[in-house]
Amino acid sequence: MTDPIAGLALGFGNALTLANLGWALLGCLLGTAVGVLPGIGPALTVALLLPITFKVGATGAFILFCGVYYGAMYGGSTTSILLNTPGESGSIITALEGAKMARNGRAGPALATAAIGSFVAGTVGTLGISFLGPVVVELALNLGPAEYFSLMALCFVTVSAVLGGSALRGLTSLSFGLLLGLVGIDLQTGQPRLTFGVPELLDGVNVVLVAVALFAVGETLYLAWRHVDAPQEVRPVGRVSMSRADLRRSAGPWLRGSLLGFPFGVLPAGGTEMPTMLSYYAERRLAGPEARAEFGKQGAIEGVAGPEAANNAAAAGVLVPMLTLGLPTSATAAIMLSAFQSYGIS
């Protein structure tokens, strides 16, 4: 169907039935639970749910799978904010400011801006799929090696800039991350790299496991030190709501993060990590003097709103090449595509 408005109307007509709303609710609940649990991920969950394709129609199954995917993208923010432990790789940047907000008694606004930002990004992503999908895919297919190299160079510079005021520490962390990324089998030659004869390293190093280890181990040691050096203190989450000032400060990051994350999701191997880092860097640069002083100290709400919106918008962008060209750009999209094939949809 070429008319986007008619396509949206038909989609809402099918989705807003009681049965499909139930599948959406179930998918979001499962996805949120999966996102909270580090290391599981939506791809494994969708793979475990594939047998339902024998009993459930294509529309209901796809709604369930998308609910799991979107729910997992949001669920990772909960542990990032409350425990300083990302549940997904796309929530790593959220932990930088979200955990500091929680320690300063602002866990409620941080959770609220993550939830509302996810909804805003999902809405923007849905509109992007309907109206801009074919255009964005055509632009993505025109990108060549030079454009991808420039994009990676931009992301490397952004990563080194995000990781504090010291350029040396940022470049050191970047070099260590590149070293970990080289572990595994070279996709061009098929030869193992930096595996040192260990078969378990042939699959490479999972970025989620690295992120969880870096954040969780450090947080565990910090809490153990605090337990000995200071009296135990439990800070309440408080009411999950936002003041007018919080809404005003979050509105811009929600929109900017959504517009930044969606194109990255369309790109092959774009992922959710790069747009979240770029969004965080952009919000630090665009923040006013008062908000900029909160970054890295009390926790700035812009540093949670922007990356969370970029994370969920990138998840929506992943569906564009899968639906338009049949090209999955993530593991979750590849499993969804196999489900389509079981229904005879290609």
Side-chain angles (χ1 to χ4, degrees):
M1 184 172 295
T2 57
D3 186 4
I5 301 297
L8 274 176
L10 178 62
F12 279 120
N14 291 327
L16 295 178
T17 62
L18 186 60
N20 288 333
L21 288 176
W23 288 120
L25 176 62
L26 177 61
C28 290
L29 289 175
L30 289 176
T32 303
V34 167
V36 170
L37 298 175
I40 297 181
L44 177 60
T45 307
V46 173
L48 293 175
L49 293 173
L50 281 180
I52 71 168
T53 57
F54 293 103
K55 294 291 185 180
V56 181
T59 302
F62 185 57
I63 289 175
L64 174 65
F65 295 157
C66 287
V68 170
Y69 194 22
Y70 283 122
M73 292 298 104
Y74 161 71
S77 65
T78 303
T79 50
S80 295
I81 294 170
L82 298 181
L83 302 177
N84 198 23
T85 303
E88 296 293 333
S89 58
S91 301
I92 296 174
I93 300 299
T94 305
L96 297 180
E97 300 300 324
K100 291 181 176 61
M101 289 184 65
R103 287 175 181 170
N104 286 279
R106 286 176 50 80
L111 292 171
T113 192
I116 300 175
S118 300
F119 173 77
V120 171
T123 303
V124 173
T126 302
L127 296 176
I129 294 173
S130 302
F131 294 95
L132 301 177
V135 178
V136 175
V137 168
E138 185 177 354
L139 293 176
L141 292 177
N142 290 329
L143 296 180
E147 289 79 9
Y148 275 104
F149 175 80
S150 301
L151 183 62
M152 293 302 166
L154 172 64
C155 293
F156 290 160
V157 172
T158 304
V159 170
S160 61
V162 164
L163 297 176
S166 173
L168 179 60
R169 282 188 309 211
L171 292 174
T172 303
S173 302
L174 176 62
S175 301
F176 181 67
L178 288 174
L179 183 65
L180 291 179
L182 291 174
V183 177
I185 297 179
D186 184 14
L187 298 179
Q188 302 297 326
T189 63
Q191 299 297 318
R193 298 179 304 193
L194 302 177
T195 58
F196 306 105
V198 180
E200 288 78 6
L201 293 178
L202 292 175
D203 291 333
V205 180
N206 193 324
V207 64
V208 178
L209 297 181
V210 174
V212 170
L214 287 174
F215 282 86
V217 172
E219 186 69 12
T220 301
L221 294 176
Y222 171 78
L223 292 176
W225 168 73
R226 289 280 298 175
H227 180 69
V228 175
D229 193 67
Q232 187 176 4
E233 180 183 0
V234 178
R235 292 187 176 93
V237 174
R239 186 176 179 182
V240 183
S241 61
M242 302 174 64
S243 64
R244 291 185 178 179
D246 293 332
L247 288 171
R248 185 173 61 254
R249 293 175 56 179
S250 298
W254 287 336
L255 295 177
R256 286 190 291 267
S258 301
L259 296 177
L260 185 62
F262 182 75
F264 273 90
V266 178
L267 295 175
T272 58
E273 298 83 6
M274 291 190 291
T276 54
M277 291 182 180
L278 288 172
S279 175
Y280 180 79
Y281 180 69
E283 296 309 323
R284 283 186 59 179
R285 300 291 294 180
L286 296 174
E290 182 180 352
R292 192 175 301 174
E294 296 180 356
F295 275 91
K297 297 182 177 68
Q298 295 90 358
I301 197 169
E302 293 90 346
V304 178
E308 274 302 304
N311 178 18
N312 286 268
V318 168
L319 301 178
V320 173
M322 184 190 72
L323 295 174
T324 56
L325 300 175
L327 297 177
T329 58
S330 70
T332 308
I335 297 173
M336 287 186 188
L337 189 62
S338 67
F340 281 174
Q341 293 173 349
S342 67
Y343 285 112
I345 301 174
S346 58

